[in-house]
Amino acid sequence: MTTGQPGTGAARPAPAGAEAENQPATASTTGSPTRPSDTSGTDQAPDSAEASAATTGESPEPRSTDEAKPAAATNGRPTGASVATGDIEPGPAKDDVPEASGTGKAGGTAKTSDTAEASGTADTSGTADTSGTADTSGTDTPKRGWLSRLTKRGKAAKTDSAKAGAVKADDTKADDPAKTDDAETDDAETDDAKANAAKVGDPVKDSDPKDDATKGDGATKGDGTTKGAKPGDANGQAPTDGETKPADPDRWEAFASAPEPKPSILTRSGRAVGRFLIHEWTLAALGSLALAVLMTWPTLRYPRYTLPQDYWDPSLQAWQMAWSGHILLTDPARLWQSNTFFPELWSFAFSDTLLGYAPAGMLGSGPEDAVLRYNIMFVLAHALATFGAYALARQLGAGRIGAAVAGVTYTYAPWLLSQAGHLHVLSNGGIPLALAMLARGHGWSLRHGYRPERRHDGWVYGGWLVAAWQLSLGFGIGLPFAYLLGVAVLVAVVLFCVRRVRTRQAVPFGRRLFVANVLGGLLFAGVGLLMAFPFFRVTELHPYAERTIDDVDVFSPPASGFVTAPAESWIWGGLHEGARAALPWHPEMTLLPGYVLYALALGGLFFSVWRLRHRLLLLVGVLVTMAFAMGTRFFDGTFTYVPLFEHVPGWSALRTPGRLMLWTTLLLGLLAAGAVTALTDRVRELTAQRIPSWPGPWLRMATLLPLLLVTVEGLNNTPHPVVPRQPAAMRTAEGPLLVLPSSQNLDQHVMLWSTSGFPDVVNGGSGFTPRQLDDVRRVSQAFPNQTSIDYLRTLGVRTVVLLRDRVPGTPWEITIDAPVESLGITRQDVGNAVVYRL
């Protein structure tokens, strides 16, 4: 049997059997002899309890004894606590403790509380002070059952050590002087048995299981028993540890937490929507959209009446979206035979088509809806570019703020402000998005390399699909992208084979991923061929439409263009007015990507999360793309642009090499993203090391400074002119018709006005002018006369609309009101136009 020291949990052996009988009893403070105790009932402790105690060092379940009845309830607290420390220690089994007789102090009161002195006394000798306390150190005092269980579980009750160790001065003088506070504090180190003070002259009764039974409230009755006690066995023994009955689980159910109710379908749906709304990609998409609205403002202020930058090319592109949506719903076979440039064939392929926006063209009709559609797609194109570049930077391993910097610089670089009137150039978001999806599907990133466990063929299919959609928007941006993908696939295959040969191990790739790349590549190539076929037909029918190297030379920018901002730049536009004047064709030669971007990219060469070799590769890419963007200005293009122009299929259609600056901007953005990510990671480490964390929030806010600077540098003052209103005559005129005056720019308005019913019109504006349209414009200068009328009838023209507000300064200023009855045609004034029916 072992007894634990109070408050320590340490156990030491206690005398048992004969040794317990030979253990000297504590002397009475009055010197009165002690009576022998009645040992009946002391032989009833089961041997299993003793064996368990001797083996495990734990005290068996205590049995109640009647050797010392408490004088009174002590403030409702259970008895049997250690006097010195107030900790509760388990009581010994009855067979292992000395009898209670001879251990009580004559005339002393029993200490029955761990915190308070006994208020009742047993004054049998007439000499004992009623406030005296018994020395209860040792192993004699049986503990209550619930206290023992709490002790075994490590849940010792906290006590008031000051009161528990206090001994009155009178008792200290009259009784044994060794029983002081210090003695009570150290009494756990002795082997003397602790016992409650018994009344002098009273024999020790047999153990009554009712005396030691406890109740949950711990209150003690006046007769020495505790309320709520459960009786022991038939022999008056309390059950040992091995015999303890399990507690009724019902008694603890009241303390258990209520089970969570099963959520309903509506609740689960709400949670799913909430998780979706706070997801990183949802926030990135919404942030990109909100930023696009703000950075392109006031595009959406009057979206049905104004167009960004000018109303020439935007009018053409608004018609392209409207035509593709209309014809795919009505007669898809006529897609490439548009209603403009009548009677030319394949007229829809005279310029980039924005065919990928055809679903948007299926909504609405008429010029105002076409303008609204254009403005919406203009804003969405900026949002997609930001989101795509953000996704690519994140996939490569950049942090959120670094990826945001890459997205903003890719979309709102100052040089792109000069392209505000070219939606096919601004619609470039599919390029980084497709690259990000392909990289994710192949489990590859710039920061972590190839991770086969992250492969997913679904992302590969999606990447090729997005790439094909990007190609359908136009070859001006899509053709370099297509060749880049081809080179990337070739390089990846070579590196894969080299790695396999070098390691002589099968590098994991997977059949499903291989099939996804084959099918996706075939889809991309198929879309490219279908889109290229009409353009090849146009070059066959109109050989003069093909570009020459002299055309490229006109639009090739000098090196100074890389530090010159366009007029639309809010910050640099006015400051660079002189530099722009020195450029031959500044709308295509002001190629400043941003001074902040230059600085961040330069810093990314020395401080970045990318590996050194990756930084060097990005730097090489920046320099190479800049050399190509200079066209014939970089050593006459002998080693850069000219070989591509002469030998790569389709490259001869690209006359503006400066638009390759798009790739330079993307690579600079990735360099900047590496630097900003390294900065944010370092700030996070510094913040975590500071105790307290202040000024951690300020340091983290400082990491947003690069993002703020690149955003401010991308602000614009792009004009938004009002689109000329559609003449009333265009709403009712029957085709084929000719609108006069006719020119490259004016005909783009006519194309937009024709979206009301899409009648066939001779007018048209594109990247080149067909010779037949040149002949029509030359002959019609004398309209109405017999020669021009006969020529138009030969072409199949049935209606001519002459606009009064555009005839000043033209030959029609004199003939617009001349009689036409002798010519066999009719004339009618409709609003601000004159309609001639041939």
Side-chain angles (χ1 to χ4, degrees):
M1 167 105 189
T2 61
T3 59
Q5 293 185 1
T8 63
R12 70 171 185 270
E19 296 179 3
E21 294 177 1
N22 296 329
Q23 183 73 21
T26 306
S28 172
T29 57
T30 61
S32 300
T34 59
R35 295 181 56 187
S37 62
D38 185 4
T39 59
S40 63
T42 60
D43 300 329
Q44 297 177 6
D47 297 337
S48 60
E50 295 178 1
S52 174
T55 303
T56 65
E58 294 182 358
S59 300
E61 189 73 21
R63 294 192 304 270
S64 61
T65 63
D66 202 16
E67 59 186 310
K69 295 183 179 180
T74 57
N75 299 331
R77 301 175 67 97
T79 63
S82 173
V83 177
T85 64
D87 293 337
I88 303 172
E89 65 177 10
K94 186 173 181 179
D95 288 350
D96 297 335
V97 299
E99 297 300 329
S101 62
T103 61
K105 294 180 182 180
T109 61
K111 181 84 170 183
T112 60
S113 173
D114 56 345
T115 59
E117 295 176 354
S119 59
T121 61
D123 189 5
T124 58
S125 64
T127 59
D129 188 355
T130 58
S131 63
T133 60
D135 182 4
T136 59
S137 64
T139 60
D140 195 90
T141 304
K143 302 296 184 276
R144 304 300 182 251
W146 72 275
L147 292 175
S148 176
R149 286 194 297 272
L150 288 178
T151 304
K152 291 175 183 179
R153 297 171 185 173
K155 299 180 178 180
K158 300 293 183 179
T159 60
D160 189 351
S161 58
K163 277 192 172 184
V167 178
K168 292 188 177 181
D170 295 343
D171 292 337
T172 305
K173 294 177 181 180
D175 297 337
D176 188 356
K179 300 300 180 180
T180 62
D181 289 346
D182 295 334
E184 287 187 2
T185 304
D186 299 330
D187 60 2
E189 299 178 359
T190 66
D191 294 331
D192 296 334
K194 288 186 178 180
N196 294 332
K199 295 182 180 180
V200 177
D202 289 346
V204 177
K205 299 180 181 179
D206 293 344
S207 298
D208 187 356
K210 296 181 180 180
D211 292 345
D212 238 8
T214 59
K215 188 177 180 181
D217 56 2
T220 306
K221 293 184 178 181
D223 58 358
T225 62
T226 306
K227 295 180 181 180
K230 289 187 178 182
D233 55 11
N235 297 328
Q237 297 172 344
T240 61
D241 288 346
E243 297 176 352
T244 302
K245 294 181 180 180
D248 187 0
D250 293 339
R251 70 163 64 176
W252 306 112
E253 288 183 357
F255 301 96
S257 59
E260 184 177 356
K262 184 178 180 180
S264 63
I265 297 179
L266 184 61
T267 302
R268 293 196 300 269
S269 301
R271 291 177 180 176
V273 172
R275 289 192 298 269
F276 173 78
L277 292 177
I278 64 174
H279 197 275
E280 176 186 356
W281 299 115
T282 304
L283 296 177
L286 295 177
S288 299
L289 182 59
L291 185 64
V293 173
L294 295 176
M295 296 294 286
T296 60
W297 191 260
T299 299
L300 295 183
R301 186 176 183 180
Y302 303 108
R304 299 175 67 90
Y305 309 105
T306 63
L307 287 172
Q309 195 175 51
D310 59 55
Y311 44 54
W312 309 118
D313 285 353
S315 296
L316 164 65
Q317 294 168 339
W319 166 82
Q320 288 174 330
M321 285 188 285
W323 167 255
S324 60
H326 162 75
I327 202 63
L328 289 178
L329 289 176
T330 56
D331 189 5
R334 280 194 59 200
L335 173 63
W336 298 101
Q337 317 300 331
S338 73
N339 70 313
T340 59
F341 295 100
F342 178 84
E344 297 286 353
L345 301 176
W346 307 100
S347 56
F348 194 50
F350 285 180
S351 58
D352 277 340
T353 60
L354 294 175
L355 186 60
Y357 289 152
M362 298 177 182
L363 304 176
S365 62
E368 289 186 356
D369 287 346
V371 173
L372 173 64
R373 184 186 304 115
Y374 179 92
N375 286 321
I376 292 175
M377 300 312 298
F378 180 81
V379 175
L380 292 180
H382 285 80
L384 180 61
T386 305
F387 181 80
Y390 176 88
L392 177 61
R394 287 289 284 156
Q395 173 60 30
L396 295 181
R400 291 182 177 87
I401 299 178
V405 169
V408 172
T409 54
Y410 178 75
T411 309
Y412 304 104
W415 77 271
L416 283 168
L417 297 177
S418 63
Q419 304 293 329
H422 301 144
L423 184 58
H424 63 291
V425 177
L426 298 177
S427 300
N428 51 52
I431 294 176
L433 182 60
L435 294 176
M437 297 174 75
L438 290 173
R440 181 166 185 175
H442 289 84
W444 184 84
S445 71
L446 195 63
R447 192 173 183 179
H448 306 289
Y450 178 56
R451 292 178 288 182
E453 69 277 4
R454 293 179 176 265
R455 294 168 296 166
H456 197 291
D457 58 321
W459 287 108
V460 176
Y461 284 114
W464 284 112
L465 185 62
V466 173
W469 173 81
Q470 176 66 51
L471 188 62
S472 70
L473 294 176
F475 284 110
I477 296 299
L479 189 63
F481 176 50
Y483 283 115
L484 176 70
L485 278 180
V487 172
V489 170
L490 182 61
V491 171
V493 171
V494 171
L495 292 178
F496 185 85
C497 295
V498 169
R499 182 177 179 183
R500 185 168 185 174
V501 171
R502 185 179 60 183
T503 60
R504 295 185 180 181
Q505 295 179 354
V507 181
F509 189 77
R511 182 179 302 173
R512 294 179 60 181
L513 206 61
F514 177 78
V515 172
N517 280 286
V518 171
L519 295 180
L522 290 176
L523 172 66
F524 180 78
V527 171
L529 291 176
L530 290 175
M531 291 284 298
F533 177 77
F535 291 93
F536 284 120
R537 290 291 297 161
V538 169
T539 56
E540 291 177 3
L541 295 173
H542 308 278
Y544 50 87
E546 192 170 359
R547 317 295 185 185
T548 64
I549 198 65
D550 293 332
D551 296 330
V552 175
D553 186 66
V554 172
F555 296 99
S556 296
S560 60
F562 296 119
V563 293
T564 306
E568 291 82 2
S569 175
W570 183 68
I571 294 180
W572 309 116
L575 298 175
H576 291 182
E577 184 176 358
R580 286 193 303 272
L583 299 175
W585 185 252
H586 67 83
E588 297 289 351
M589 296 182 180
T590 51
L591 303 179
L592 175 67
Y595 291 113
V596 177
L597 180 58
Y598 277 142
L600 293 175
L602 181 62
L605 294 175
F606 305 97
F607 180 69
S608 177
V609 295
W610 312 132
R611 294 183 178 90
L612 178 60
R613 67 174 182 271
H614 294 152
R615 287 178 253 168
L616 295 178
L617 287 175
L618 289 174
L619 176 61
V620 170
V622 168
L623 298 178
V624 170
T625 53
M626 279 185 168
F628 277 94
M630 294 178 66
T632 59
R633 296 296 182 96
F634 184 81
F635 296 103
D636 296 328
T638 304
F639 308 103
T640 56
Y641 204 87
V642 172
L644 296 177
F645 188 87
E646 293 178 347
H647 303 291
V648 175
W651 204 276
S652 59
L654 307 180
R655 64 174 180 176
T656 52
R659 294 175 183 176
L660 293 176
M661 191 66 185
L662 185 71
W663 297 97
T664 306
T665 306
L666 181 60
L667 296 176
L668 287 172
L670 293 178
L671 275 174
V676 174
T677 301
L679 174 64
T680 55
D681 290 348
R682 182 56 179 163
V683 167
R684 190 179 298 110
E685 294 174 0
L686 293 176
T687 304
Q689 294 172 2
R690 296 181 65 89
I691 300 176
S693 61
W694 187 90
W698 298 104
L699 288 176
R700 294 197 177 190
M701 288 181 63
T703 60
L704 297 175
L705 183 60
L707 178 60
L708 178 63
L709 292 177
V710 296
T711 303
V712 171
E713 195 171 19
L715 294 176
N716 70 89
N717 55 4
T718 303
H720 286 72
V722 178
V723 181
R725 298 193 56 148
Q726 180 190 33
M730 290 287 298
R731 302 171 192 168
T732 58
E734 297 179 0
L737 61 88
L738 170 66
V739 180
L740 297 176
S742 175
S743 65
Q744 170 72 17
N745 290 336
L746 294 177
D747 282 2
Q748 292 174 339
H749 292 156
V750 177
M751 299 172 77
L752 176 62
W753 295 336
S754 71
T755 55
S756 294
F758 293 95
D760 290 334
V761 294
V762 179
N763 306 77
S766 67
F768 79 99
T769 302
R771 289 181 177 175
Q772 181 172 284
L773 182 56
D774 277 338
D775 293 340
V776 170
R777 290 171 179 170
R778 178 177 49 81
V779 172
S780 61
Q781 293 288 329
F783 184 85
N785 65 358
Q786 196 63 48
T787 303
S788 61
I789 292 173
D790 293 342
Y791 180 75
L792 294 176
R793 282 174 176 172
T794 303
L795 295 178
V797 176
R798 295 294 177 262
T799 306
V800 176
V801 178
L802 186 59
L803 304 178
R804 287 185 177 272
D805 57 345
R806 296 190 177 183
V807 298
T810 66
W812 299 284
E813 187 176 8
I814 301 174
T815 61
I816 190 171
D817 293 322
V820 295
E821 289 78 4
S822 60
L823 299 175
I825 62 175
T826 61
R827 176 182 177 277
Q828 180 184 6
D829 290 328
V830 179
N832 197 32
V834 179
V835 179
Y836 299 89
R837 291 180 174 86
L838 308 185

